[in-house]
Amino acid sequence: MLRSVKGLKDILPHQATQWQHVETVARTLAAQYGFSEIRIPIFEFTELYARSIGGTTDIVEKEMYTFPDRDGSSLTLRPEGTAGVVRAVLEHKLLDSPTTRKLFYLGQMFRHERPQAGRYRQFHQFGVEAMGTEDPLIDVEVISLLWQFFSALGLKDLTLHMNSIGTIDDRKGYVHTLKEFLAQKLNSLCGNCQRRYSTNPLRILDCKVPLCQETTKEAPILIDYLSDPSKLHFQAVLDGLTTLEIPFSLNHRLVRGLDYYTRTTFEITSPHLGAQSTIGAGGRYDGLIQVLQGPSTPAIGFAVGLERVTLLLTEEVTSKPVPLFFVAGFGERGKPSAFKLLHSLRKAGIRGDTDHKGNTLKALLRSADKLGAEYSIILGDDEVSSGNVILRNMQTKDQEILNINEITQRIQRGF
Ligand code: ATP
Ligand code: MG
């Protein structure tokens, strides 16, 4: 049997209703908060990600799906959305605007990771980006949209973790102190972190290996090293969250794997997901747009992992109850006549169906039940002769005889 590629998942019909619900909530809320949709390509030149995400991150080091195009140029399946959005915004001059540019996206991302519960090689993200202001209130708006998204989906027991990692300048001094602190303790770090010590020491703080967490327990704390403007900015964000009654907890270990993040950093976790507990994360990336040769522009965004969100959905999501009319046509004249009737029902905007696997009335009514039809419209040779149809309520089994030429209008009027 042919199977799908490791780490990729099919979304089957019974799960798709849930996905549609999640996507509808995302779209509706994004619109309510003033974010417009942007649809960016699934792959870009590798250079875009290499430049923006940073060479010492997990993504660029080992998770990208990179392949040569036929002309030899290097392409990469998008591992995240922000880089592509910024590329598109610059290419189409969307920053030439007097107002903050607020965009959202929904779609697949690709990372070569070890597949496990909540971690796949193709996964979906809902993300937003707000570009053009460093006002702490936009941080609050973005975080409140994220919080609202999870509330609207009924997710419980979530924790919002907040931190500030300052500006690139603030971090320089801190990283120096952190390295001094760790210099004598390198043997108590995992192999990865020993490497990070020289390439990306900040990331040692969010290493999940218990030994590393123990070793960094007493490490100096980044927010103590922030410049005054960064401290004020962070405090204003926290005050804003308090005003909106969004509960948060400070988390000094939250440093994010991506180099372009600055100042506000946040993450939302759930205790019901095991090891992969983060369902959404984001922060400011005031440095990124310039790295990609755009004008220096402050910006903030988040990305939510939708597979993890669907794992947490507890309430049964059912599609809106639009009644289904099953057309049960049989016999030499009944079947073609019923097929025409089905077509006119559908053209009139009525949800109609039949099943070509059944040819007897009994088999057709069984199919109607299987498909969850509220009504069946029965049409055999006798009905064609009399110009009538039988409308059967599938639950009560009540039947009514109606003129075939009036049935569509009667349904539209609600009988
Ligand atoms: P993690 O620590 O789980 O690897 P990350 O820092 O790599 O997360 P981000 O780049 O911040 O993740 O992506 C935002 C969100 O996308 C994550 O919080 C998570 O919910 C989701 N996500 C990331 N990688 C995967 C994956 N391989 N499979 C499913 N969801 C993912
Ligand atoms: Mg990761």
mmCIF file of all heavy atoms in Angstrom, residues 58-59 63 79-80 111 113 118-125 208 256-258 261 267-268 276 278-282 303-308, ligand 1:
data_model
loop_
_atom_site.group_PDB
_atom_site.id
_atom_site.type_symbol
_atom_site.label_atom_id
_atom_site.label_comp_id
_atom_site.label_asym_id
_atom_site.label_seq_id
_atom_site.Cartn_x
_atom_site.Cartn_y
_atom_site.Cartn_z
ATOM 1 N N ASP A 58 17.568 26.347 15.284
ATOM 2 C CA ASP A 58 17.251 24.959 14.910
ATOM 3 C C ASP A 58 16.718 24.914 13.487
ATOM 4 O O ASP A 58 17.062 24.015 12.719
ATOM 5 C CB ASP A 58 16.170 24.393 15.844
ATOM 6 C CG ASP A 58 16.742 24.058 17.211
ATOM 7 O OD1 ASP A 58 17.978 24.097 17.348
ATOM 8 O OD2 ASP A 58 15.956 23.782 18.134
ATOM 9 N N ILE A 59 15.855 25.870 13.162
ATOM 10 C CA ILE A 59 15.205 25.834 11.848
ATOM 11 C C ILE A 59 16.244 25.828 10.740
ATOM 12 O O ILE A 59 16.258 24.934 9.894
ATOM 13 C CB ILE A 59 14.243 27.044 11.676
ATOM 14 C CG1 ILE A 59 13.073 26.937 12.650
ATOM 15 C CG2 ILE A 59 13.737 27.133 10.242
ATOM 16 C CD1 ILE A 59 12.055 28.061 12.554
ATOM 17 N N GLU A 63 16.320 22.030 10.158
ATOM 18 C CA GLU A 63 14.913 21.682 9.929
ATOM 19 C C GLU A 63 14.350 22.058 8.563
ATOM 20 O O GLU A 63 13.201 21.752 8.261
ATOM 21 C CB GLU A 63 14.039 22.337 11.022
ATOM 22 C CG GLU A 63 14.304 21.788 12.402
ATOM 23 C CD GLU A 63 13.564 22.504 13.522
ATOM 24 O OE1 GLU A 63 12.825 23.467 13.242
ATOM 25 O OE2 GLU A 63 13.743 22.114 14.679
ATOM 26 N N PRO A 79 9.346 27.361 6.433
ATOM 27 C CA PRO A 79 9.313 26.769 7.762
ATOM 28 C C PRO A 79 8.485 27.615 8.725
ATOM 29 O O PRO A 79 8.138 27.168 9.818
ATOM 30 C CB PRO A 79 10.784 26.772 8.191
ATOM 31 C CG PRO A 79 11.399 27.890 7.416
ATOM 32 C CD PRO A 79 10.590 28.100 6.179
ATOM 33 N N GLU A 80 8.177 28.860 8.330
ATOM 34 C CA GLU A 80 7.384 29.779 9.156
ATOM 35 C C GLU A 80 6.887 30.895 8.254
ATOM 36 O O GLU A 80 7.273 30.957 7.081
ATOM 37 C CB GLU A 80 8.223 30.302 10.339
ATOM 38 C CG GLU A 80 9.545 30.936 9.947
ATOM 39 C CD GLU A 80 9.474 32.447 9.892
ATOM 40 O OE1 GLU A 80 9.074 33.052 10.890
ATOM 41 O OE2 GLU A 80 9.818 33.021 8.836
ATOM 42 N N ARG A 111 8.882 21.619 8.432
ATOM 43 C CA ARG A 111 10.155 21.539 9.164
ATOM 44 C C ARG A 111 10.523 20.073 9.321
ATOM 45 O O ARG A 111 9.683 19.250 9.697
ATOM 46 C CB ARG A 111 10.028 22.169 10.568
ATOM 47 C CG ARG A 111 9.723 23.651 10.518
ATOM 48 C CD ARG A 111 9.744 24.254 11.916
ATOM 49 N NE ARG A 111 9.135 25.577 11.917
ATOM 50 C CZ ARG A 111 8.938 26.312 12.991
ATOM 51 N NH1 ARG A 111 9.320 25.849 14.177
ATOM 52 N NH2 ARG A 111 8.370 27.507 12.900
ATOM 53 N N GLU A 113 11.547 17.679 11.404
ATOM 54 C CA GLU A 113 11.729 17.422 12.826
ATOM 55 C C GLU A 113 11.417 15.968 13.088
ATOM 56 O O GLU A 113 10.824 15.288 12.256
ATOM 57 C CB GLU A 113 10.764 18.270 13.641
ATOM 58 C CG GLU A 113 10.917 19.756 13.366
ATOM 59 C CD GLU A 113 10.405 20.582 14.511
ATOM 60 O OE1 GLU A 113 11.013 20.493 15.600
ATOM 61 O OE2 GLU A 113 9.424 21.312 14.326
ATOM 62 N N GLY A 118 1.998 16.145 18.396
ATOM 63 C CA GLY A 118 2.098 17.602 18.405
ATOM 64 C C GLY A 118 3.290 18.146 17.642
ATOM 65 O O GLY A 118 3.552 19.355 17.663
ATOM 66 N N ARG A 119 4.055 17.278 16.982
ATOM 67 C CA ARG A 119 5.210 17.749 16.203
ATOM 68 C C ARG A 119 5.249 16.973 14.885
ATOM 69 O O ARG A 119 5.411 15.766 14.875
ATOM 70 C CB ARG A 119 6.497 17.538 17.002
ATOM 71 C CG ARG A 119 7.688 18.285 16.425
ATOM 72 C CD ARG A 119 8.933 18.124 17.264
ATOM 73 N NE ARG A 119 8.875 18.843 18.539
ATOM 74 C CZ ARG A 119 8.958 20.160 18.652
ATOM 75 N NH1 ARG A 119 9.078 20.915 17.593
ATOM 76 N NH2 ARG A 119 8.920 20.723 19.834
ATOM 77 N N TYR A 120 5.057 17.694 13.812
ATOM 78 C CA TYR A 120 4.957 17.059 12.500
ATOM 79 C C TYR A 120 5.906 17.745 11.526
ATOM 80 O O TYR A 120 6.466 18.791 11.825
ATOM 81 C CB TYR A 120 3.510 17.148 11.997
ATOM 82 C CG TYR A 120 2.522 16.749 13.059
ATOM 83 C CD1 TYR A 120 1.822 17.720 13.783
ATOM 84 C CD2 TYR A 120 2.344 15.413 13.389
ATOM 85 C CE1 TYR A 120 0.956 17.355 14.798
ATOM 86 C CE2 TYR A 120 1.481 15.033 14.400
ATOM 87 C CZ TYR A 120 0.785 16.015 15.110
ATOM 88 O OH TYR A 120 -0.059 15.657 16.118
ATOM 89 N N ARG A 121 6.035 17.162 10.345
ATOM 90 C CA ARG A 121 6.929 17.768 9.353
ATOM 91 C C ARG A 121 6.166 18.725 8.452
ATOM 92 O O ARG A 121 6.746 19.618 7.854
ATOM 93 C CB ARG A 121 7.632 16.666 8.564
ATOM 94 C CG ARG A 121 8.602 15.938 9.486
ATOM 95 C CD ARG A 121 9.410 14.872 8.792
ATOM 96 N NE ARG A 121 10.395 14.360 9.743
ATOM 97 C CZ ARG A 121 11.176 13.336 9.515
ATOM 98 N NH1 ARG A 121 11.114 12.705 8.352
ATOM 99 N NH2 ARG A 121 12.047 12.949 10.422
ATOM 100 N N GLN A 122 4.864 18.498 8.321
ATOM 101 C CA GLN A 122 4.010 19.536 7.746
ATOM 102 C C GLN A 122 2.995 19.879 8.820
ATOM 103 O O GLN A 122 2.356 18.983 9.369
ATOM 104 C CB GLN A 122 3.276 19.044 6.496
ATOM 105 C CG GLN A 122 2.261 20.086 6.012
ATOM 106 C CD GLN A 122 1.440 19.630 4.826
ATOM 107 O OE1 GLN A 122 1.832 19.814 3.685
ATOM 108 N NE2 GLN A 122 0.302 19.037 5.096
ATOM 109 N N PHE A 123 2.870 21.148 9.141
ATOM 110 C CA PHE A 123 1.877 21.556 10.134
ATOM 111 C C PHE A 123 1.295 22.892 9.695
ATOM 112 O O PHE A 123 1.779 23.498 8.741
ATOM 113 C CB PHE A 123 2.512 21.616 11.533
ATOM 114 C CG PHE A 123 3.660 22.593 11.652
ATOM 115 C CD1 PHE A 123 3.468 23.871 12.173
ATOM 116 C CD2 PHE A 123 4.936 22.236 11.234
ATOM 117 C CE1 PHE A 123 4.526 24.773 12.272
ATOM 118 C CE2 PHE A 123 5.997 23.131 11.331
ATOM 119 C CZ PHE A 123 5.788 24.405 11.854
ATOM 120 N N HIS A 124 0.240 23.312 10.382
ATOM 121 C CA HIS A 124 -0.436 24.547 9.978
ATOM 122 C C HIS A 124 -0.284 25.633 11.034
ATOM 123 O O HIS A 124 -0.341 25.338 12.223
ATOM 124 C CB HIS A 124 -1.933 24.289 9.785
ATOM 125 C CG HIS A 124 -2.239 23.343 8.679
ATOM 126 N ND1 HIS A 124 -2.010 21.989 8.779
ATOM 127 C CD2 HIS A 124 -2.763 23.545 7.448
ATOM 128 C CE1 HIS A 124 -2.376 21.395 7.656
ATOM 129 N NE2 HIS A 124 -2.836 22.319 6.825
ATOM 130 N N GLN A 125 -0.120 26.832 10.574
ATOM 131 C CA GLN A 125 -0.082 27.956 11.511
ATOM 132 C C GLN A 125 -1.115 29.019 11.129
ATOM 133 O O GLN A 125 -1.396 29.238 9.953
ATOM 134 C CB GLN A 125 1.304 28.618 11.514
ATOM 135 C CG GLN A 125 2.369 27.804 12.239
ATOM 136 C CD GLN A 125 3.703 28.523 12.337
ATOM 137 O OE1 GLN A 125 3.985 29.423 11.543
ATOM 138 N NE2 GLN A 125 4.515 28.144 13.302
ATOM 139 N N LYS A 208 15.446 22.363 27.103
ATOM 140 C CA LYS A 208 14.493 21.582 27.912
ATOM 141 C C LYS A 208 15.182 20.475 28.720
ATOM 142 O O LYS A 208 14.561 19.821 29.543
ATOM 143 C CB LYS A 208 13.421 20.956 27.006
ATOM 144 C CG LYS A 208 12.643 21.954 26.135
ATOM 145 C CD LYS A 208 11.695 22.801 26.973
ATOM 146 C CE LYS A 208 10.881 23.817 26.175
ATOM 147 N NZ LYS A 208 11.655 24.903 25.556
ATOM 148 N N ARG A 256 13.045 32.687 22.854
ATOM 149 C CA ARG A 256 12.757 32.490 21.441
ATOM 150 C C ARG A 256 13.985 32.060 20.638
ATOM 151 O O ARG A 256 15.067 32.575 20.835
ATOM 152 C CB ARG A 256 12.153 33.737 20.777
ATOM 153 C CG ARG A 256 11.049 34.376 21.506
ATOM 154 C CD ARG A 256 9.828 33.489 21.624
ATOM 155 N NE ARG A 256 9.350 33.042 20.317
ATOM 156 C CZ ARG A 256 9.032 31.788 20.031
ATOM 157 N NH1 ARG A 256 9.135 30.861 20.956
ATOM 158 N NH2 ARG A 256 8.582 31.452 18.846
ATOM 159 N N GLY A 257 13.747 31.156 19.706
ATOM 160 C CA GLY A 257 14.862 30.646 18.918
ATOM 161 C C GLY A 257 15.272 31.549 17.768
ATOM 162 O O GLY A 257 16.296 31.326 17.147
ATOM 163 N N LEU A 258 14.457 32.548 17.447
ATOM 164 C CA LEU A 258 14.747 33.316 16.241
ATOM 165 C C LEU A 258 15.483 34.619 16.574
ATOM 166 O O LEU A 258 15.098 35.343 17.480
ATOM 167 C CB LEU A 258 13.440 33.617 15.492
ATOM 168 C CG LEU A 258 12.554 32.384 15.237
ATOM 169 C CD1 LEU A 258 11.317 32.753 14.445
ATOM 170 C CD2 LEU A 258 13.309 31.291 14.509
ATOM 171 N N TYR A 261 13.977 38.533 16.932
ATOM 172 C CA TYR A 261 13.080 38.977 17.989
ATOM 173 C C TYR A 261 13.749 40.011 18.894
ATOM 174 O O TYR A 261 14.924 39.894 19.235
ATOM 175 C CB TYR A 261 12.628 37.791 18.843
ATOM 176 C CG TYR A 261 11.515 36.992 18.211
ATOM 177 C CD1 TYR A 261 11.736 35.751 17.648
ATOM 178 C CD2 TYR A 261 10.217 37.509 18.180
ATOM 179 C CE1 TYR A 261 10.703 35.024 17.074
ATOM 180 C CE2 TYR A 261 9.182 36.792 17.606
ATOM 181 C CZ TYR A 261 9.433 35.552 17.053
ATOM 182 O OH TYR A 261 8.407 34.843 16.489
ATOM 183 N N GLU A 267 4.480 33.521 24.943
ATOM 184 C CA GLU A 267 4.214 32.140 24.569
ATOM 185 C C GLU A 267 2.981 31.699 25.340
ATOM 186 O O GLU A 267 2.777 32.130 26.468
ATOM 187 C CB GLU A 267 5.421 31.308 25.016
ATOM 188 C CG GLU A 267 5.575 30.002 24.295
ATOM 189 C CD GLU A 267 6.964 29.402 24.532
ATOM 190 O OE1 GLU A 267 7.913 29.768 23.821
ATOM 191 O OE2 GLU A 267 7.074 28.580 25.451
ATOM 192 N N ILE A 268 2.161 30.876 24.735
ATOM 193 C CA ILE A 268 1.014 30.332 25.472
ATOM 194 C C ILE A 268 1.153 28.820 25.520
ATOM 195 O O ILE A 268 1.384 28.174 24.497
ATOM 196 C CB ILE A 268 -0.317 30.779 24.848
ATOM 197 C CG1 ILE A 268 -0.444 32.292 25.005
ATOM 198 C CG2 ILE A 268 -1.496 30.048 25.505
ATOM 199 C CD1 ILE A 268 -1.790 32.878 24.715
ATOM 200 N N GLN A 276 5.028 18.694 24.028
ATOM 201 C CA GLN A 276 4.830 19.814 23.093
ATOM 202 C C GLN A 276 3.747 20.730 23.628
ATOM 203 O O GLN A 276 2.617 20.726 23.154
ATOM 204 C CB GLN A 276 4.443 19.292 21.703
ATOM 205 C CG GLN A 276 5.622 19.037 20.813
ATOM 206 C CD GLN A 276 6.604 18.060 21.424
ATOM 207 O OE1 GLN A 276 6.253 16.947 21.696
ATOM 208 N NE2 GLN A 276 7.830 18.498 21.649
ATOM 209 N N THR A 278 3.599 24.151 23.897
ATOM 210 C CA THR A 278 3.391 25.521 23.403
ATOM 211 C C THR A 278 2.439 25.529 22.213
ATOM 212 O O THR A 278 2.715 24.911 21.186
ATOM 213 C CB THR A 278 4.735 26.142 22.971
ATOM 214 O OG1 THR A 278 5.638 26.011 24.058
ATOM 215 C CG2 THR A 278 4.572 27.597 22.624
ATOM 216 N N ILE A 279 1.327 26.256 22.364
ATOM 217 C CA ILE A 279 0.374 26.283 21.245
ATOM 218 C C ILE A 279 0.515 27.554 20.416
ATOM 219 O O ILE A 279 0.072 27.599 19.277
ATOM 220 C CB ILE A 279 -1.089 26.106 21.706
ATOM 221 C CG1 ILE A 279 -1.424 27.052 22.863
ATOM 222 C CG2 ILE A 279 -1.338 24.674 22.117
ATOM 223 C CD1 ILE A 279 -2.896 26.997 23.227
ATOM 224 N N GLY A 280 1.116 28.574 20.993
ATOM 225 C CA GLY A 280 1.294 29.793 20.210
ATOM 226 C C GLY A 280 2.413 30.606 20.811
ATOM 227 O O GLY A 280 2.675 30.525 22.015
ATOM 228 N N ALA A 281 3.121 31.336 19.952
ATOM 229 C CA ALA A 281 4.259 32.089 20.447
ATOM 230 C C ALA A 281 4.507 33.267 19.525
ATOM 231 O O ALA A 281 4.148 33.239 18.352
ATOM 232 C CB ALA A 281 5.496 31.203 20.481
ATOM 233 N N GLY A 282 5.119 34.281 20.094
ATOM 234 C CA GLY A 282 5.417 35.421 19.226
ATOM 235 C C GLY A 282 6.204 36.480 19.947
ATOM 236 O O GLY A 282 6.712 36.259 21.059
ATOM 237 N N ALA A 303 2.528 33.305 16.003
ATOM 238 C CA ALA A 303 2.123 32.165 15.187
ATOM 239 C C ALA A 303 1.568 31.087 16.113
ATOM 240 O O ALA A 303 2.136 30.822 17.175
ATOM 241 C CB ALA A 303 3.301 31.613 14.394
ATOM 242 N N VAL A 304 0.443 30.519 15.708
ATOM 243 C CA VAL A 304 -0.204 29.469 16.490
ATOM 244 C C VAL A 304 -0.084 28.152 15.730
ATOM 245 O O VAL A 304 -0.310 28.114 14.522
ATOM 246 C CB VAL A 304 -1.705 29.782 16.659
ATOM 247 C CG1 VAL A 304 -2.411 28.638 17.371
ATOM 248 C CG2 VAL A 304 -1.912 31.081 17.395
ATOM 249 N N GLY A 305 0.268 27.090 16.412
ATOM 250 C CA GLY A 305 0.318 25.775 15.788
ATOM 251 C C GLY A 305 -1.069 25.133 15.834
ATOM 252 O O GLY A 305 -1.557 24.774 16.896
ATOM 253 N N LEU A 306 -1.702 25.003 14.672
ATOM 254 C CA LEU A 306 -3.114 24.592 14.671
ATOM 255 C C LEU A 306 -3.324 23.108 14.965
ATOM 256 O O LEU A 306 -4.364 22.718 15.485
ATOM 257 C CB LEU A 306 -3.781 24.987 13.352
ATOM 258 C CG LEU A 306 -3.813 26.499 13.094
ATOM 259 C CD1 LEU A 306 -4.558 26.799 11.795
ATOM 260 C CD2 LEU A 306 -4.476 27.248 14.249
ATOM 261 N N GLU A 307 -2.329 22.256 14.688
ATOM 262 C CA GLU A 307 -2.483 20.839 15.059
ATOM 263 C C GLU A 307 -2.624 20.732 16.579
ATOM 264 O O GLU A 307 -3.469 20.007 17.088
ATOM 265 C CB GLU A 307 -1.268 20.017 14.603
ATOM 266 C CG GLU A 307 -1.319 19.550 13.162
ATOM 267 C CD GLU A 307 -1.078 20.675 12.170
ATOM 268 O OE1 GLU A 307 -0.741 21.795 12.603
ATOM 269 O OE2 GLU A 307 -1.236 20.427 10.960
ATOM 270 N N ARG A 308 -1.762 21.450 17.289
ATOM 271 C CA ARG A 308 -1.824 21.388 18.754
ATOM 272 C C ARG A 308 -3.154 21.950 19.254
ATOM 273 O O ARG A 308 -3.710 21.456 20.232
ATOM 274 C CB ARG A 308 -0.630 22.143 19.360
ATOM 275 C CG ARG A 308 0.676 21.438 19.030
ATOM 276 C CD ARG A 308 1.891 22.083 19.676
ATOM 277 N NE ARG A 308 3.103 21.576 19.023
ATOM 278 C CZ ARG A 308 4.326 22.005 19.275
ATOM 279 N NH1 ARG A 308 4.522 22.954 20.177
ATOM 280 N NH2 ARG A 308 5.366 21.499 18.642
HETATM 281 P P1 ATP B 1 8.925 24.242 19.566
HETATM 282 O O1 ATP B 1 9.608 24.701 20.784
HETATM 283 O O2 ATP B 1 7.684 23.448 19.845
HETATM 284 O O3 ATP B 1 9.829 23.581 18.566
HETATM 285 P P2 ATP B 1 9.182 26.617 17.993
HETATM 286 O O4 ATP B 1 9.813 27.629 18.841
HETATM 287 O O5 ATP B 1 10.002 25.885 16.990
HETATM 288 O O6 ATP B 1 8.375 25.550 18.882
HETATM 289 P P3 ATP B 1 7.657 28.603 16.560
HETATM 290 O O7 ATP B 1 8.623 28.725 15.460
HETATM 291 O O8 ATP B 1 7.535 29.670 17.557
HETATM 292 O O9 ATP B 1 7.887 27.201 17.285
HETATM 293 O O10 ATP B 1 6.209 28.272 15.943
HETATM 294 C C1 ATP B 1 4.984 28.680 16.570
HETATM 295 C C2 ATP B 1 4.099 27.504 16.913
HETATM 296 O O11 ATP B 1 3.998 26.600 15.825
HETATM 297 C C3 ATP B 1 4.606 26.636 18.035
HETATM 298 O O12 ATP B 1 4.290 27.212 19.264
HETATM 299 C C4 ATP B 1 3.870 25.353 17.805
HETATM 300 O O13 ATP B 1 2.554 25.424 18.332
HETATM 301 C C5 ATP B 1 3.796 25.283 16.316
HETATM 302 N N1 ATP B 1 4.826 24.378 15.798
HETATM 303 C C6 ATP B 1 6.146 24.607 15.623
HETATM 304 N N2 ATP B 1 6.779 23.543 15.091
HETATM 305 C C7 ATP B 1 5.812 22.592 14.913
HETATM 306 C C8 ATP B 1 5.806 21.259 14.379
HETATM 307 N N3 ATP B 1 6.910 20.687 13.912
HETATM 308 N N4 ATP B 1 4.634 20.584 14.367
HETATM 309 C C9 ATP B 1 3.499 21.142 14.830
HETATM 310 N N5 ATP B 1 3.433 22.389 15.334
HETATM 311 C C10 ATP B 1 4.565 23.116 15.371
#
